[in-house]
Amino acid sequence: MFTGIILGKGTVVEKRSSGSGMIFSLEPGFDLTDPEEGESIAVNGVCLTARNISVRGFTVDVSPESLARTNLGRLSVGSRVNLERALRLSDRLGGHMVSGHVDGVSRVLARRPVGNFVQFTFDIPAGLAKYIVEKGSIAIDGTSLTVNSCDDEKFSIVVIPHTLEVTLLGTLHQGDPVNIEVDLVGKYVEKMLQAEPGDPAKSQGGINPEFLARHGFMK
């Protein structure tokens, strides 16, 4: 689990095929303190398992599923990426709860300066519009951001100078692909509301204490 607060940028130093997947070696632009073999690190918002990990670098295996659903397959040696280490229970939750399970690839439709800020407009991949709401949270290449406005086809965000500097958002231009992960809460609520016919919760008008208890949300 992550928060969408990018720790820093990294660089792809090696890329090679591994069956139908790929292996990347990455060099972060910061020291990995107390590295743990097998820990989770988000690369452009994709939760991956780090191995051969040291203070100055690590290797990740990227599955065919991740290559198909994200922009990682477009990376090459020298590409820069956003990096975030997994959330610890003692950490501040500065962004929002991000799983690192990307929902799809969006593209930059427009970039417009707004004073010291930058407004981006992105298209919405098929099937995701219902999870994107005005003033809601969304992760773009792993960065936690607030939706400024949206409709069924596109949404916009406004990025502050600090985020433009720390992440790769400042390098984006029209047409660039980005990974997006919608807010988890909306997907869970949708699932809970899709009760099967004959379900007591459904027949009694939807969610109630009995329904929540049966699904583990109450005791």
Side-chain angles (χ1 to χ4, degrees), residues 60-76:
V60 293
D61 298 279
V62 185
S63 70
E65 170 71 5
S66 294
L67 292 173
R69 294 181 68 97
T70 74
N71 64 10
L72 293 186
R74 298 179 174 90
L75 298 177
S76 58

Side-chain angles (χ1 to χ4, degrees), residues 1-10 28-50 53-58 60 81-89 91-94 96 98-100 141-142:
M1 188 64 69
F2 306 89
T3 69
I5 304 300
I6 300 301
L7 189 58
K9 304 168 190 173
F30 51 88
D31 288 339
L32 285 172
T33 57
D34 62 359
E36 296 184 12
E37 189 74 10
E39 71 171 277
S40 294
I41 295 180
V43 179
N44 276 0
V46 184
C47 179
L48 298 171
T49 299
I53 186 170
S54 67
V55 173
R56 294 302 304 164
F58 60 95
V60 293
V81 292
N82 290 329
L83 298 175
E84 181 188 357
R85 298 180 74 180
L87 174 69
R88 294 173 297 191
L89 292 179
D91 288 342
R92 293 182 179 89
L93 186 57
H96 70 285
V98 178
S99 70
D141 275 346

